[in-house]
Amino acid sequence: MQVEAPVYVMGDIHGHLPALHRILQEAHLINKDHHWTGGEASLWFMGDLVDRGPDSIGVLDFVIQLQQEAQEMSGHVDCLLGNHELLLLAAYYFGWRSTELSNSFITKWRHNGGKKSDLIGLTQVHLTWLTDRPAMALVGNILLIHADATFYTRYGHSIAEVNETFKKLMKSSNTLAWEELIEAFAMREVFSYPHTGKEFAERFLSIFGGKQIIHGHTPIQMMSGGPARNVTQPFVYANGQCVNVDGGIYMGGSGFIYQLTNF
Ligand SMILES: [Mn+2]
């Protein structure tokens, strides 16, 4: 039997750098100086690294650094695109411009917890890195997406196609297309709809591949009830077809890391 290097996923960080450090240290993926010690392990962030919390730029810099360090040890660090990455990029590129649909990108971003200091701190390195991130990925039999939503099918019917469409969009100045994508992320909890959720999950997996969906985007306590501080582990639902890993750090959750098994 071949022994695979471990694969970990992390939910939405939202600018909370000390919490991220703590969680990765406890998992022995970084040392006390915050350098990668995970060897050949893989670590996937589910998107929404930025906004709401105090230090989005710090989180971006740290994840970019970890990705480089992991690569040097044949490890792997990557991050899905969340709606907050798109909100931040749109605020940067289009600022006070608005579209036919609604108010300016700055306004929209600030309503979603955007912080002025983060916009000022964005560099070309961040912009390039963010634009290169995928919207979805398959790890073994596990399909990773940011949002618990089905709108991804509007952008393609394979992982490669969706990622390519997102990339093209992010390189374009079609503000209406940006707006539509950002608005699409307002969709959530689709796979936990009482009567149709399981079927949506099943169909989604049959289109994109994989046996199980892992996502962030919706803080777990919104689905399970109770305060965010009680959330310490992933939330499995839809007959085990879906796993929510958003520990709701920005709402007071301690956050956690999730190691994939049977992938
Ligand atoms: Mn999100």
Side-chain angles (χ1 to χ4, degrees):
M1 197 181 85
Q2 195 187 352
V3 180
E4 306 267 359
V7 178
Y8 299 88
V9 296
M10 284 271 342
D12 310 31
I13 307 300
H14 282 303
H16 285 80
L17 188 57
L20 177 56
H21 286 155
R22 171 180 48 78
I23 294 163
L24 296 182
Q25 266 182 60
E26 284 170 7
H28 306 291
L29 290 176
I30 60 171
N31 61 21
K32 63 176 172 37
D33 301 317
H34 308 146
H35 293 292
W36 180 255
T37 53
E40 296 182 5
S42 290
L43 170 60
W44 274 95
F45 290 89
M46 304 305 294
D48 283 2
L49 294 177
V50 301
D51 294 343
R52 302 200 190 282
D55 192 5
S56 298
I57 298 297
V59 171
L60 281 179
D61 286 337
F62 174 60
V63 173
I64 292 171
Q65 168 218 312
L66 269 194
Q67 186 178 51
Q68 289 163 351
E69 291 176 351
Q71 200 170 8
E72 285 161 18
M73 298 174 78
S74 301
H76 182 80
V77 171
D78 209 336
C79 179
L80 301 178
L81 281 168
N83 48 314
H84 284 271
E85 279 71 47
L86 296 168
L87 280 160
L88 179 62
L89 287 171
Y92 182 89
Y93 289 136
F94 309 122
W96 296 103
R97 273 169 70 183
S98 55
T99 70
E100 296 89 327
L101 284 181
S102 76
N103 47 26
S104 81
F105 287 96
I106 294 261
T107 307
K108 194 186 297 294
W109 166 70
R110 289 179 82 153
H111 281 163
N112 282 279
K115 292 210 157 46
K116 203 175 160 188
S117 55
D118 294 330
L119 202 54
I120 292 166
L122 267 188
T123 65
Q124 191 58 50
V125 171
H126 303 129
L127 299 174
T128 304
W129 187 81
L130 288 169
T131 306
D132 281 340
R133 303 283 55 83
M136 46 194 341
L138 191 67
V139 177
N141 273 319
I142 308 290
L143 182 63
L144 305 178
I145 51 176
H146 173 67
D148 42 347
T150 49
F151 70 84
Y152 291 96
T153 56
R154 294 180 210 157
Y155 294 89
H157 285 88
S158 70
I159 293 171
E161 207 180 354
V162 171
N163 288 342
E164 193 53 39
T165 310
F166 268 57
K167 192 153 292 178
K168 265 188 202 147
L169 196 155
M170 285 192 292
K171 288 178 176 171
S172 88
S173 51
N174 181 344
T175 48
L176 194 56
W178 276 82
E179 167 110 39
E180 281 169 348
L181 178 55
I182 287 167
E183 288 307 318
F185 274 98
M187 195 191 262
R188 65 170 77 245
E189 296 188 66
V190 168
F191 306 124
S192 62
Y193 286 173
H195 300 293
T196 50
K198 290 185 202 76
E199 196 188 334
F200 281 153
E202 206 172 294
R203 282 199 217 167
F204 199 81
L205 286 164
S206 75
I207 293 167
F208 293 109
K211 291 197 157 63
Q212 189 181 52
I213 294 165
I214 294 186
H215 67 83
H217 189 54
T218 301
I220 286 169
Q221 82 276 4
M222 284 173 65
M223 297 174 73
S224 66
R229 65 174 186 278
N230 289 356
V231 173
T232 55
Q233 56 184 14
F235 185 73
V236 183
Y237 64 101
N239 274 353
Q241 291 179 110
C242 297
V243 182
N244 184 349
V245 293
D246 182 0
I249 289 178
Y250 84 92
M251 299 173 104
S254 59
F256 57 82
I257 193 162
Y258 176 47
Q259 185 177 352
L260 302 193
T261 52
N262 302 321
F263 55 91

